[in-house]
């Protein structure tokens, strides 16, 4: 459905623009689609069967932290003090949810 | 065991969601219109999903799908699509510094809706509320 919307929006713009995109750039977006919309979503929906929707959505919504970790290690980007505080709070929240109900 | 599997899957989903923007960023560095990128990403996922269904013989499972199950799956897709288009719309007319943190509060909406509409299957206790709040605040600070 999202694809139909996007193609609709793309139609308003220049549709032939797709043909001009270099192969390597297309490959990057194909990888992004594979990890995000296919593998990520499959795991995300699968987790609903075993833990609550609230817990699953809260845990999977921590992806910006993962992005920051990859951006620092792969792209060499810098992390601010505020971001460190944010990462600490997020990880604390995940820890509480993972430990919830365990003895 | 099932609980551990669910938690592991949710964490791995987060890793996949977190890894994807890196590839998108690499692609966008070429100056490509993000809409084209999003369309390629969606089309790839759809293609691989169809191939996977056919290769794994999962398409036979369609016969066991109930009307209610299909209806909720379609509703979920509709919500995702409206969210995606609204996000682009908001980005076009609003400031990124406001739009992105606001979109990150969706786990709070899920928690409230789950509490109101799914009381029989969702356990919303004080740990869930504190954990979710910490994650949302932490993510907003990280962006």
């Amino acid at each position: 459905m999202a694809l139909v919307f996007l193609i609709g929006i793309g139609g308003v713009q220049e549709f032939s623009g797709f043909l001009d995109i270099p192969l390597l750039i297309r490959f990057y977006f194909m990888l992004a689609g594979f990890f995000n919309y296919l593998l990520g979503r499959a795991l995300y929906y699968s987790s609903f069967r075993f833990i609550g929707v609230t817990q699953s959505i809260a845990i999977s919504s921590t992806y910006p932290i993962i992005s920051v970790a990859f951006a620092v290690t792969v792209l060499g980007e810098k992390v601010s003090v505020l971001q460190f505080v944010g990462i600490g709070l997020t990880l604390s929240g995940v820890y509480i949810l993972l430990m919830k109900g365990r003895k | 065991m099932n609980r551990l599997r669910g938690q592991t899957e949710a964490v791995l989903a987060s890793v996949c969601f977190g890894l994807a923007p890196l590839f998108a960023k690499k692609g966008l560095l070429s100056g490509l219109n993000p809409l084209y990128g999003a369309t390629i990403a969606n089309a790839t996922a759809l293609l691989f999903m169809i191939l996977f269904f056919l290769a794994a013989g999962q398409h036979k499972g369609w016969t066991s799908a109930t009307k209610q199950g299909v209806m909720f799956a379609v509703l979920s897709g509709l919500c995702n699509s409206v969210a995606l288009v609204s996000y682009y719309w908001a980005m076009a007319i609003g400031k990124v510094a406001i739009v992105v943190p606001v979109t990150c509060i969706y786990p709070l909406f899920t928690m409230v809706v789950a509490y109101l509409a799914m009381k029989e299957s969702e356990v919303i206790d004080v740990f869930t509320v504190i954990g979710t709040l910490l994650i949302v605040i932490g993510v907003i600070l990280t962006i």
Side-chain angles (χ1 to χ4, degrees):
Chain A
M1 282 185 175
L3 183 62
V4 172
F5 272 109
L6 284 167
I7 289 174
I9 294 168
V12 177
Q13 311 208 351
E14 277 188 42
F15 209 78
S16 60
F18 279 106
L19 302 173
D20 304 328
I21 301 169
L23 204 61
L24 183 67
I25 306 303
R26 277 188 224 182
F27 183 65
Y28 281 137
F29 281 106
M30 286 168 77
L31 280 176
F34 180 80
F35 280 106
N36 191 349
Y37 301 114
L38 185 65
L39 198 56
R41 283 213 180 265
L43 289 164
Y44 176 63
Y45 284 132
S46 178
S47 70
F48 288 173
R49 298 179 298 168
F50 307 113
I51 53 175
V53 175
T54 311
Q55 194 179 4
S56 176
I57 286 182
I59 293 170
S60 58
S61 72
T62 59
Y63 66 89
I65 308 298
I66 311 287
S67 288
V68 169
F70 281 123
V72 169
T73 52
V74 180
L75 300 177
E77 292 184 6
K78 302 261 190 253
V79 181
S80 69
V81 177
L82 206 60
Q83 282 179 313
F84 265 119
V85 175
I87 290 168
L89 286 176
T90 305
L91 293 178
S92 309
V94 172
Y95 182 77
I96 288 172
L97 288 180
L98 291 180
M99 290 297 123
K100 193 182 88 162
R102 283 191 191 174
K103 290 183 181 175
Chain B
M1 190 64 188
N2 279 348
R3 181 188 166 81
L4 183 67
R5 181 176 167 183
Q7 289 176 335
T8 308
E9 285 178 349
V11 171
L12 286 175
S14 178
V15 173
C16 288
F17 292 150
L19 187 59
L22 234 73
F23 295 116
K25 166 97 177 180
K26 285 243 183 205
L28 288 172
L29 284 174
S30 66
L32 182 73
N33 183 333
L35 275 176
Y36 289 137
T39 307
I40 293 171
N42 268 289
T44 305
L46 183 64
L47 184 70
F48 272 100
M49 201 169 277
I50 290 169
L51 288 175
F52 171 77
F53 261 77
L54 292 175
Q58 296 279 335
H59 57 286
K60 292 166 190 160
W62 284 116
T63 49
S64 62
T66 61
K67 273 187 181 175
Q68 198 186 28
V70 173
M71 186 189 76
F72 279 119
V74 170
L75 278 175
S76 172
L78 264 177
C79 286
N80 275 323
S81 305
V82 172
L84 186 70
V85 175
S86 307
Y87 181 71
Y88 275 104
W89 224 334
M91 287 289 223
I93 60 173
K95 290 180 180 171
V96 176
I98 293 171
V99 173
V100 176
V102 167
T103 56
C104 286
I105 63 172
Y106 68 88
L108 298 179
F109 284 106
T110 306
M111 190 169 62
V112 173
V113 173
Y115 177 74
L116 295 174
M118 301 171 77
K119 275 181 184 168
E120 71 286 353
S121 59
E122 288 291 315
V123 182
I124 313 288
D125 54 16
V126 70
F127 294 106
T128 308
V129 176
I130 292 172
T132 306
L133 274 173
L134 282 174
I135 288 172
V136 170
I137 295 167
V139 167
I140 290 171
L141 286 177
T142 309
I143 295 168

